[in-house]
């Protein structure tokens, strides 16, 4: 499972909730020092020999550290498996939504042929290829078409999600029974294998999502210092300074004004350096 270093790096960062390398090192060292101190306190209360206390504390702390590393490795394996399953399912749904009309008709026809007893001549079959899913308008159109063709029921094949409004609309109109059938549920093993992404493609999807999330966080961190923010900070500092002459606790307003000036200077300097 751990044959992709980039995937391991992304999942390990997600497992550690995006903390920096410095914070991870501090956590790693401090936790093991704490374990050693707890072991030393326990052995100190039960053993009189100082050398034996230290040796037993070190050995026990090492065993606990190895166990903690093993647990973290198992958690990483479980996260990689979970992310691969999630990314594969998303990519499969995306590929299903991109099927051509001919391919969709083939899948639907194969399903109807294998369930001939539930699909009679008086049942309307319709399909929604919209990736966003089935809406209430789709349900109303299907029911209207079933009434025009004097069908006793309707079956709606879809490749997206089923909205709450669509389910409510189908439930509220009880004279025409409506069945929602997902194309994902009617895929046989051969079709699913042809559409299912490979492990390499799944790993690339996970890595691309991690890079997108990294760029989003980087943009969120630099957004207070984008071009044009300097004027706003200076104006806010001027307003806070003016208000400080009319309030009792003027020091707080002037401290906030100084913070705004500092942010304005940082925004000006960073934009000047990038330019």
């Amino acid at each position: 499972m751990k044959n992709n270093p980039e995937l391991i790096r992304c999942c390990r960062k997600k497992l550690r909730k995006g903390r920096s390398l410095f914070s991870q090192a501090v956590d790693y060292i401090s936790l093991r020092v704490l374990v050693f101190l707890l072991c030393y306190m326990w052995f100190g209360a039960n053993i009189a020999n100082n050398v034996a206390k230290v040796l037993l504390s070190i050995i026990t702390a090492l065993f606990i550290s190895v166990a903690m590393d093993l647990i973290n490795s198992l958690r990483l394996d479980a996260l990689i498996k979970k992310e691969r399953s999630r990314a594969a399912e998303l990519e499969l749904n995306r590929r299903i939504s991109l099927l051509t009309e001919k391919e969709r008709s083939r899948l639907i026809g194969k399903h109807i042929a294998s369930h001939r007893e539930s699909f009679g001549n008086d049942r309307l079959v319709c399909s929604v290829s919209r990736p966003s899913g089935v809406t209430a308008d789709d349900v109303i159109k299907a029911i209207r078409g079933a009434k025009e063709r004097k069908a006793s029921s309707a079956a709606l094949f879809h490749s997206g999600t089923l909205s709450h409004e669509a389910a409510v609309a189908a439930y509220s109109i009880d004279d025409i029974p409506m069945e929602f059938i997902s194309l994902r549920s009617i895929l046989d093993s051969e079709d699913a294998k042809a559409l299912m992404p490979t492990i390499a493609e799944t790993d690339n999807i996970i890595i691309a999502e991690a890079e997108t999330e990294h760029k989003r966080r980087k943009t969120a961190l630099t957004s207070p210092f984008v071009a044009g923010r300097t004027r706003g900070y200076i104006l806010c500092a001027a307003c806070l300074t003016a208000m400080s002459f009319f309030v009792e606790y003027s020091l707080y307003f002037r401290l906030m004004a100084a913070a705004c000036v500092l942010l304005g200077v940082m925004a000006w300097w960073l934009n000047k350096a990038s330019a």
Side-chain angles (χ1 to χ4, degrees):
M1 183 178 290
K2 296 182 179 181
N3 54 2
N4 192 333
E6 189 69 17
L7 175 67
I8 296 173
R9 183 186 64 82
C10 295
C11 291
R12 186 172 288 152
K13 191 172 183 179
K14 188 172 183 178
L15 185 65
R16 294 169 179 173
K17 302 186 184 304
R19 290 179 297 170
S20 63
L21 186 62
F22 175 76
S23 63
Q24 295 175 24
V26 171
D27 291 343
Y28 186 89
I29 295 173
S30 60
L31 185 59
R32 277 143 185 85
V33 170
L34 179 62
V35 169
F36 171 77
L37 293 177
L38 291 175
C39 293
Y40 184 79
M41 291 174 61
W42 191 86
F43 286 116
N46 296 276
I47 299 176
N49 192 314
N50 293 328
V51 177
K53 286 190 293 186
V54 173
L55 290 177
L56 288 174
S57 300
I58 293 175
I59 293 173
T60 306
L62 288 175
F63 274 110
I64 294 175
S65 178
V66 171
M68 292 168 60
D69 291 338
L70 179 61
I71 292 173
N72 289 332
S73 179
L74 294 176
R75 289 178 61 200
L76 181 61
D77 288 341
L79 180 62
I80 291 175
K81 184 178 180 180
K82 180 181 177 181
E83 288 295 307
R84 280 178 171 172
S85 177
R86 180 192 60 83
E89 190 69 22
L90 288 176
E91 180 63 16
L92 178 61
N93 291 332
R94 189 189 70 84
R95 293 183 178 183
I96 291 175
S97 64
L98 295 177
L99 290 175
T100 61
E101 290 296 329
K102 183 178 180 180
E103 292 170 336
R104 292 172 65 89
S105 300
R106 181 183 62 82
L107 289 176
I108 295 172
K110 185 188 296 186
H111 177 75
I112 293 175
S114 60
H115 298 79
R116 179 61 64 183
E117 64 279 359
S118 60
F119 287 88
N121 296 326
D122 58 345
R123 191 176 196 187
L124 178 67
V125 176
C126 50
S127 173
V128 176
S129 59
R130 191 183 308 107
S132 58
V134 182
T135 62
D137 293 337
D138 298 324
V139 175
I140 294 173
K141 289 179 181 178
I143 294 176
R144 187 183 297 124
K147 289 183 177 180
E148 291 176 354
R149 293 169 176 81
K150 300 185 184 305
S152 60
S153 61
L156 196 151
F157 291 86
H158 62 93
S159 57
T161 58
L162 180 63
S163 65
H164 176 70
E165 292 79 8
V168 170
Y171 180 78
S172 60
I173 306 174
D174 54 356
D175 54 343
I176 301 293
M178 171 70 69
E179 181 183 5
F180 299 100
I181 303 174
S182 173
L183 291 180
R184 173 70 177 87
S185 63
I186 65 174
L187 288 176
D188 55 19
S189 58
E190 183 179 352
D191 294 326
K193 184 178 180 180
L195 293 173
M196 184 69 70
T198 61
I199 295 180
E201 292 174 340
T202 305
D203 293 348
N204 291 333
I205 293 172
I206 299 172
I207 294 170
E209 290 177 350
E211 291 177 352
T212 303
E213 179 65 18
H214 176 70
K215 291 179 181 178
R216 187 191 66 80
R217 291 186 177 183
K218 187 176 180 181
T219 303
L221 289 174
T222 57
S223 60
F225 307 107
V226 296
R229 291 292 181 92
T230 304
R231 182 180 301 176
Y233 286 130
I234 298 301
L235 180 61
C236 183
C239 293
L240 289 171
T241 304
M243 291 174 61
S244 66
F245 293 102
F246 303 97
V247 295
E248 183 178 357
Y249 301 100
S250 59
L251 178 61
Y252 300 115
F253 284 83
R254 291 170 186 173
L255 287 175
M256 289 189 290
C260 290
V261 171
L262 179 61
L263 291 173
V265 171
M266 291 175 62
W268 172 79
W269 176 259
L270 290 175
N271 286 287
K272 180 182 178 182
S274 62

